[in-house]
Every structure is written in C-alpha cells, then in structure tokens.
C-alpha cells in the first residue's frame, strides 16, 4: 500500500497524534465548478477547516500517486487544467497504473481517505439515484461506497438533478444512516427542503461523533450521510432552481449525455440557466459543510 499512498507530512503527523483531519474531494474542483472560483473555493474550504482547529486533506491522484493533502499549487493545477479525469472507484486502477492525474469523486475520495485513516469528509453533494434510473440504471457509485467504506460524508443533501426519494431508499437498503443536522427534512443542496425526511435528526457535532463511534465499534461497516442544510440566507428559491434543473435534464436527454458526464453537464447548465446564482449557493453550502465536518472530527477525536 505504501508504494501507492502519498500522505503529506502535516496530515501524516496529525493522524499519528490522533488529531482531527478532514478529507476533501477534488472532482468538485475539476468538474464541479468553473475556474478560478473552484480554486478559490477549495483554498477557502481548507482555511475554514484550519480556523476550526482541524487539518484539511484535499485528495486526488497525481501522476498515479494517491495524494492525501494537496499543496496550494496542486489545487491550482487541478482547477486549471482541462483534461483531468473524473475518477470513481472503477477508474482508480487505470489512473494509477498509467501514472495519470485523476480528480476523485465522493466514492474514490472515501476509499483513499480510509486508506490514510481519515474518518471525516466534507463535500457539497453526494451522487445518487438519477431520475429515470429505472430505465437508465444511472446510480452513482458513491452510494455503494457509503455502504462499505468507513468514512462519514458531510454534505448539503443530494441535488434534485437526482431522485432524492429513490436515493434515500437505496441508502436504506444498503444500511447507510442518513441524518439531518438540526433538521428532520432531507435538504436538496440548493434548498433546505426536498419533501423527504431523514432517518434521524441530530443537533450537535458530539451527537454525530458518538453515533459514528458506536457504529464502527459495533463493526457495522460503511459510512454515514450527514445532511447539513444550506444556510437560510443563501438558499435558492425552490421553484426557480427546480425549473432550471428540469430544463437542464431535458437538454441532457436531448443531447444524449449520460454516464459519468451527466453530473458535470447538469451542474454547469444549471449554473448558466440561473445566471451564476447556483454557483454562489454551491460555494456557500460547501463552506458550511467544511465547518461542521471539522467540528465533528474534533469531537470524534475526543472519544
Ligand atoms: N454533486 C455536486 N458537485 C459535484 C459532484 C456531485 O454538487 O462536484 C461530484 C462528486 O464528486 C460526486 C460525483 O461524487 O459528482 C458523482 O458523480 P456520478 O453521479 O457520476 O457518480
Ligand atoms: Mn452515474
């Protein structure tokens, strides 16, 4: 394993001392937001985690190495170059063997975080069951990863480019707890409401840390989805965002966009249709998740 994994010295030291580290993904940088906002956001997220007293570890594959804790230059590189490959679980062996660069999704970031011994991971939104999945079979590998890899993912729920109800059903089948931070409702990324309920409401980082410790102490494999709603002041108008999403999905169908290209296409189109408003909301919710993830990591480390 050592020959593949490259953990930066600060992250390595922090983990060795049993202190708090928060993993961050890189597909959100390369495929989730446009340059230069992507780089600016990724660097701010790291700062937010530091300000809370934890150490950030942005994860990616660079020249075939599984990198845990990118430098500022590496983040800039990933955000700027155009041809970095979106890398989920199935892609990892090829990207590594070819010594190529790969931006890691939620699934592959969980895998690499777990190899490094990191338990807490902050992002924007998880992948899920797409609308019309009964015909397309498009279900993100993120969900299967949550079922088997022991990393908790702090996110703002799932976007309504997905079928949120089916995503929750899938997670239930695979035994993945979905908890709402200070809410009973599953948030829908850009909005606090979705019309779906979470399994449990939790009101403090301590409560989440204790549930995680209990889960893993009992040998219950897999992660947890900690759904943290976007702050009231930054959320988008429910009807506006859903109209934009419906339009983007229709265009994707007309253009025949599918597979791994689907999520990046929809994100970019929704941003264009909303005149950039969705990007601003996206950035704010990631900051909010980073801050909560750091608090949970600090509580977990005390237990
Ligand atoms: N949702 C977002 N922004 C993103 C993604 C999802 O709001 O950048 C990325 C994440 O990396 C997630 C991936 O793991 O898309 C899911 O892609 P797919 O549906 O192809 O599994
Ligand atoms: Mn997919």
């Amino acid at each position: 394993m050592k020959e593949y994994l490259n953990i930066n010295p600060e992250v390595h030291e922090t983990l060795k001392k049993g202190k708090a580290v928060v993993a961050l993904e890189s597909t959100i940088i390369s495929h989730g937001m446009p340059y230069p906002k992507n780089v600016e956001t990724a660097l701010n997220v790291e700062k937010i985690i530091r300000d809370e007293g934890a150490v950030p570890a942005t994860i990616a594959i660079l020249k075939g190495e599984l990198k845990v804790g990118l430098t500022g230059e590496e983040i800039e590189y990933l955000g700027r170059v155009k041809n970095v490959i979106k890398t989920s679980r199935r892609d990892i062996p090829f990207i590594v063997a070819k010594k190529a660069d790969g931006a890691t999704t939620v699934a592959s970031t969980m895998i690499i975080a777990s190899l490094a011994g990191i338990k807490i991971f902050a992002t924007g939104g998880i992948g899920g069951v797409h609308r019309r999945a009964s015909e397309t079979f498009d279900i993100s590998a993120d969900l299967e990863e949550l079922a088997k890899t022991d990393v908790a993912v702090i996110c703002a729920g799932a976007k309504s480019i997905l079928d949120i109800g089916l995503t929750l059903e899938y997670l239930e089948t695979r035994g993945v707890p979905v908890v709402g931070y200070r809410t009973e409702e599953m948030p829908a990324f850009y909005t606090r409401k979705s019309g779906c309920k979470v399994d449990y409401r939790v009101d403090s980082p301590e409560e989440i840390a204790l549930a995680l410790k209990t889960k893993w102490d009992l040998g219950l494999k897999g992660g947890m989805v900690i759904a943290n709603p976007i702050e009231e002041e930054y959320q988008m108008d429910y009807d506006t965002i859903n109209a934009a999403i419906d339009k983007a999905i229709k265009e994707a169908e007309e253009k025949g966009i599918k597979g791994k290209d689907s999520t990046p296409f929809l994100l970019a189109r929704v941003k264009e249709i909303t005149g950039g408003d969705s990007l601003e909301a996206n950035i704010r919710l990631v900051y909010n998740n980073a801050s909560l993830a750091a608090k949970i990591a600090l509580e977990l480390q005390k237990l």
Side-chain angles (χ1 to χ4, degrees):
M1 191 57 62
K2 283 227 168 70
E3 58 192 298
Y4 298 107
L5 204 55
N6 180 334
I7 306 179
N8 96 20
E10 185 196 13
V11 173
H12 184 77
E13 275 308 303
T14 310
L15 288 168
K16 223 167 68 183
K17 288 194 213 134
K19 298 281 185 199
V21 176
V22 175
L24 298 159
E25 61 152 309
S26 44
T27 292
I28 192 173
I29 305 175
S30 64
H31 296 75
M33 290 182 193
Y35 182 82
K37 282 274 182 194
N38 54 356
V39 172
E40 191 188 304
T41 304
L43 296 174
N44 285 340
V45 163
E46 291 212 337
K47 182 169 185 308
I48 289 166
I49 290 170
R50 283 188 192 284
D51 289 348
E52 293 281 356
V55 171
T58 301
I59 290 176
I61 303 177
L62 291 177
K63 294 197 176 69
E65 278 189 322
L66 308 180
K67 283 246 179 188
V68 180
L70 299 187
T71 63
E73 294 79 56
E74 287 166 339
I75 288 175
E76 169 77 26
Y77 167 78
L78 272 180
R80 193 190 279 272
V81 297
K82 291 269 176 281
N83 53 353
V84 176
I85 299 162
K86 179 178 160 190
T87 305
S88 194
R89 169 179 273 266
R90 55 128 188 235
D91 308 288
I92 294 176
F94 297 94
I95 304 298
V96 170
K98 286 200 291 190
K99 302 207 180 323
D101 298 330
T104 51
T105 62
V106 168
S108 53
T109 303
M110 286 177 74
I111 294 170
I112 298 169
S114 176
L115 290 174
I118 304 172
K119 298 285 190 196
I120 304 294
F121 165 20
T123 186
I126 53 167
V129 180
H130 281 255
R131 297 192 197 173
R132 290 180 47 248
S134 59
E135 291 153 56
T136 64
F137 272 45
D138 192 350
I139 299 174
S140 175
D142 293 354
L143 300 186
E144 281 298 305
E145 209 56 54
L146 280 159
K148 59 189 164 213
T149 299
D150 299 0
V151 174
V153 181
I154 292 82
C155 63
K159 256 178 290 10
S160 46
I161 61 172
L162 304 170
D163 187 317
I164 297 177
L166 291 187
T167 301
L168 292 172
E169 290 293 347
Y170 196 98
L171 288 167
E172 180 192 14
T173 302
R174 302 296 281 118
V176 180
V178 179
V179 304
Y181 185 63
R182 298 181 177 165
T183 180
E184 282 92 31
E185 175 134 359
M186 177 71 173
F189 200 79
Y190 303 113
T191 56
R192 296 172 63 88
K193 69 169 190 186
S194 68
C196 297
K197 293 265 169 283
V198 291
D199 306 330
Y200 295 93
R201 172 189 171 127
V202 288
D203 289 306
S204 69
E206 300 92 287
E207 214 180 323
I208 300 168
L210 193 55
L212 287 170
K213 181 180 186 304
T214 307
K215 183 180 201 285
W216 293 324
D217 278 354
L218 290 171
L220 298 169
K221 296 286 305 161
M224 193 179 285
V225 175
I226 294 137
N228 183 29
I230 184 170
E231 290 157 287
E232 203 87 59
E233 59 194 300
Y234 299 120
Q235 78 169 329
M236 297 188 69
D237 176 70
Y238 192 82
D239 296 325
T240 308
I241 190 65
N242 284 312
I245 288 170
D246 288 343
K247 187 162 188 275
I249 289 177
K250 197 154 163 281
E251 284 179 25
E253 278 167 19
E254 282 161 10
K255 287 190 156 79
I257 295 186
K258 51 182 192 266
K260 71 193 285 188
D261 298 331
S262 178
T263 299
F265 174 85
L266 293 172
L267 287 177
R269 276 305 286 145
V270 168
K271 181 200 150 232
E272 283 162 16
I273 296 165
T274 60
D277 288 357
S278 69
L279 178 60
E280 187 54 31
N282 196 344
I283 291 170
R284 293 298 173 170
L285 65 85
V286 176
Y287 293 165
N288 196 35
N289 296 342
S291 156
L292 177 59
K295 292 187 177 95
I296 297 169
L298 285 160
E299 289 300 327
L300 189 62
Q301 156 242 314
K302 288 190 207 155
L303 296 174

